[in-house]
Amino acid sequence: MHLLTYCADGDDTPRLGARIGTDRVADLTALATAAGAGLPSDLLGLIRAGAPALATARELLTGTPDTRPLAEVSLRAPLRPGKIIGIGLNYVEHVAESHRSLDTERELPDRPVLFGKPATAVTGPGQPILHNADLTKQLDWECELAVVIGEPAYRVAEQDALRHVFGYSIVNDISARDQRRSGQWFFSKGQDSYAPFGPGVVTADEIPDPQRLDLSLRVNGELRQNSNTRYMLFGIARLIADISSGMTLEPGDVISTGSPSGVGAGMVPPQFLQPGDLVEATIERIGTLANPVIDAR
């Protein structure tokens, strides 16, 4: 299933939906009410409710459920994660690019490089990325595969790790490159709107091999990033095993698995986001996450 959070009909109350085909959406909460079935009303609740709730959602979508055009609704971020764990330097070419342009280490890391983004950084499809020129002149993009945790994970073996995945989405890991502080990335990557997330969450059964997905990013229609998740230095199972070695991953947590090369800081000359730009991050089988950049001074 391709699960969505959306608003419609002038009502700002988020609804739980499922994309049907490429251009229609079904209201899962309304379907559950009509069928007398118990179903959480939001995606985080659905994830936390586990396999029985997911099975109910699938059953509600059998046959020909009532749908409406996707173009008539406003998508929101799929959920607000308890925590977002970012992965730095997880594509070989990006390691070289970052060493050249951002003064990071030349050598490939021997363990995943971890950092956090707060839930307040999350923004949804079509929502603005805030460009505050009083804080940054180097606002950059990073298209990343997002892993949404479905079952608690603590000290998980690598061979068991993917069992803890609910599904996959997209995070655009926005970074203020000139706000790194003594090598620390939290403020650089954690400001409001610096984690565009969406457009939905595709359940893990629909992406049996997440290490074979094309991903790309465009700014104002111009291709800036173009790669495949097979080039990750540390695959998803390794990331889950490493993080969970000392930290509990909970349902609804998100791992943003790292960016390929092609970031603005690595261009010659460097190019960064400006108010008026449109950023579109695309991952195969998931969709496109598009966000405008606005002046937030």
Side-chain angles (χ1 to χ4, degrees):
M1 286 185 294
H2 190 132
L3 297 166
L4 306 170
T5 297
Y6 70 97
C7 297
D9 304 323
D11 184 356
D12 289 334
T13 303
R15 305 183 188 188
L16 174 62
R19 196 184 76 187
I20 306 298
T22 59
D23 60 357
R24 300 193 70 84
V25 59
D27 186 332
L28 278 169
T29 303
L31 291 173
T33 300
L39 193 72
S41 60
D42 62 84
L43 183 50
L44 183 56
L46 181 69
I47 294 170
R48 288 174 173 168
L54 194 59
T56 297
R58 286 198 176 97
E59 186 176 351
L60 291 169
L61 295 173
T62 59
T64 54
D66 290 337
T67 64
R68 65 189 304 166
L70 191 58
E72 291 183 0
V73 308
S74 297
L75 295 180
R76 297 292 184 260
L79 55 95
R80 182 168 177 160
K83 53 184 172 287
I84 305 168
I85 300 170
I87 310 299
L89 307 174
N90 200 28
Y91 286 73
V92 173
E93 290 184 354
H94 184 52
V95 173
E97 174 183 67
S98 294
H99 172 70
R100 184 181 68 250
S101 59
L102 297 170
D103 299 322
T104 57
E105 296 293 330
R106 178 191 301 272
E107 294 77 17
L108 298 178
D110 57 6
R111 295 181 62 188
V113 177
L114 310 178
F115 62 91
K117 292 173 84 87
T120 48
V122 168
T123 193
Q127 300 302 301
I129 297 166
L130 305 179
H131 186 294
N132 184 345
D134 294 332
L135 290 175
T136 182
K137 302 295 191 294
Q138 298 180 2
L139 195 65
D140 210 343
W141 58 82
E142 294 186 351
C143 177
E144 306 194 0
L145 177 66
V147 178
V148 180
I149 297 298
E151 297 182 5
Y154 182 64
R155 295 185 176 178
V156 170
E158 189 170 340
Q159 62 266 28
D160 299 325
L162 294 185
R163 300 177 189 173
H164 296 261
V165 175
F166 177 84
Y168 302 95
S169 188
I170 303 170
V171 164
N172 188 352
D173 178 17
I174 299 297
S175 308
R177 302 294 188 190
D178 45 1
Q179 281 291 343
R180 290 180 296 157
R181 301 182 178 186
S182 299
Q184 298 299 309
W185 298 348
F186 187 73
F187 194 69
S188 167
K189 290 175 172 286
Q191 296 180 48
D192 288 4
S193 81
Y194 280 19
F197 177 33
V201 174
V202 180
T203 52
D205 60 295
E206 298 214 3
I207 302 180
D209 187 356
Q211 303 295 170
R212 291 292 185 271
L213 298 174
D214 289 333
L215 69 168
S216 62
L217 183 140
R218 296 177 183 271
V219 178
N220 302 325
E222 295 182 4
L223 186 66
R224 301 294 172 85
Q225 293 186 285
N226 188 26
S227 189
N228 189 285
T229 56
R230 68 176 175 269
Y231 298 120
M232 283 185 190
L233 184 59
F234 303 106
I236 292 163
R238 171 72 184 278
L239 295 176
I240 293 171
D242 182 80
I243 295 165
S244 71
S245 67
M247 181 187 302
T248 300
L249 290 168
E250 300 178 309
D253 285 351
V254 168
I255 302 171
S256 192
T257 57
S259 170
S261 62
V263 301
M267 300 180 71
V268 182
Q271 296 185 28
F272 298 106
L273 294 171
Q274 302 296 331
D277 287 344
L278 178 66
V279 191
E280 298 171 289
T282 299
I283 298 183
E284 181 183 1
R285 306 188 72 161
I286 297 173
T288 295
L289 172 65
N291 297 89
V293 181
I294 68 167
D295 191 333
R297 285 176 296 182

